[in-house]
Structures are given as C-alpha cells and as structure tokens.
Amino acid sequence: MTTTQREPYPFVTKVIDLFGDWLKQRRELNELMGYAADPGELERVARDLNVTPADLEMLVRQGSDGANELPYTLTALGIDEAAVWRAEPALLRDMERVCSFCTHKRRCHQELAAGTAATNYVEYCGNADTIDMVRFKS
C-alpha cells in the first residue's frame, strides 16, 4: 500500500508563501528607495543595469520572479538560453526586462501548460520579434 504525503493545510501554506514573497518585495523596494534617497545613486545603478530609473523601480516592483516564463518559452521554442547568454548577454537581459513588464502572463502560462506556446507566442509575447531573430539567426 502506497501512501502519499499531503500538506495538512495547503491554503495556509499558500498564504504564508504569498506573504513571504510580498515581504521580500517590500525589502527590495526599501533598498531601492535607499538608493533614491542619495542623489544620483539610483540613476547610477539604473545606468549600470542599462535601464531607466523608472524601469528599475518597476522591475523591483515586479519582483525577482517577473521573468520566470522566459526560460520555459525559450525551451518550448527550442532555443538554448545558455547559448544566448554566452553569445549576447545584453540581449537576454533585455528579453528578461520585456518579460517582466508583460501584461499577458496568464495567457503565457496557459499556452505553456497546453504546449501551444511555440505556435502562438507571436500573438501575445512582447519578445516575439527578438525570439524570431534569435531562432532564425541560428
């Protein structure tokens, strides 16, 4: 007889995880605001990352999971993320930025889960042109 171990309170676990994510994001925002308090520091950090200060603030608000869909999308399309990173790290960082700002996360998740992302990404993905360039360049 095989038994599976279940979480006793999955809802509570989910709430705790969400709160932990929110708390982490607040800490990141506080750190960013610390940079903003020092004239020129936020601009320097943004410049080092090749983004605007407004984009930097938005990226922090999105959290560290903002571009989680990108590796899955690249894999679904047969693109080696590590190879793109080695060849053009700035391009991959820009793709991550675009993915972080995306307003079509739900559709992306649905397409990835259904296995249709490789066919339909051009309809919703802000990185579609860049992905096509990378695919056809190889």
Side-chain angles (χ1 to χ4, degrees):
M1 181 175 180
T2 307
T3 60
T4 58
Q5 188 173 357
R6 276 184 18 168
E7 288 185 29
Y9 302 103
F11 177 76
V12 173
T13 302
K14 180 71 173 173
V15 170
I16 290 169
D17 289 346
L18 287 171
F19 179 73
D21 292 345
W22 176 82
L23 195 57
K24 180 181 175 196
Q25 184 181 23
R26 295 302 305 166
R27 287 184 188 129
E28 291 170 350
L29 279 171
N30 285 337
E31 184 177 336
L32 180 64
M33 292 305 109
Y35 285 122
D38 182 7
E41 187 66 15
L42 182 63
E43 288 80 8
R44 186 189 64 76
V45 171
R47 189 175 45 251
D48 288 349
L49 296 172
N50 201 28
V51 297
T52 67
D55 282 353
L56 178 58
E57 184 174 349
M58 180 66 108
L59 288 170
V60 172
R61 287 186 192 282
Q62 294 294 333
S64 58
D65 298 332
N68 279 359
E69 298 80 9
L70 183 61
Y72 296 107
T73 300
L74 294 177
T75 298
L77 292 163
I79 297 172
D80 181 358
E81 181 183 14
V84 175
W85 176 254
R86 285 189 302 274
E88 299 187 60
L91 178 70
L92 189 61
R93 277 193 306 272
D94 187 60
M95 291 174 73
E96 290 170 340
R97 181 187 59 79
V98 169
C99 187
S100 291
F101 292 151
C102 181
T103 59
H104 301 287
K105 298 278 188 194
R106 179 172 291 183
R107 174 142 187 218
C108 187
H109 284 260
Q110 291 169 341
E111 297 282 351
L112 288 166
T116 56
T119 306
N120 299 331
Y121 74 98
V122 295
E123 297 173 10
Y124 61 88
C125 183
N127 278 314
D129 291 339
T130 306
I131 288 171
D132 288 345
M133 180 191 72
V134 170
R135 286 178 76 193
F136 300 121
K137 190 176 181 181
S138 303

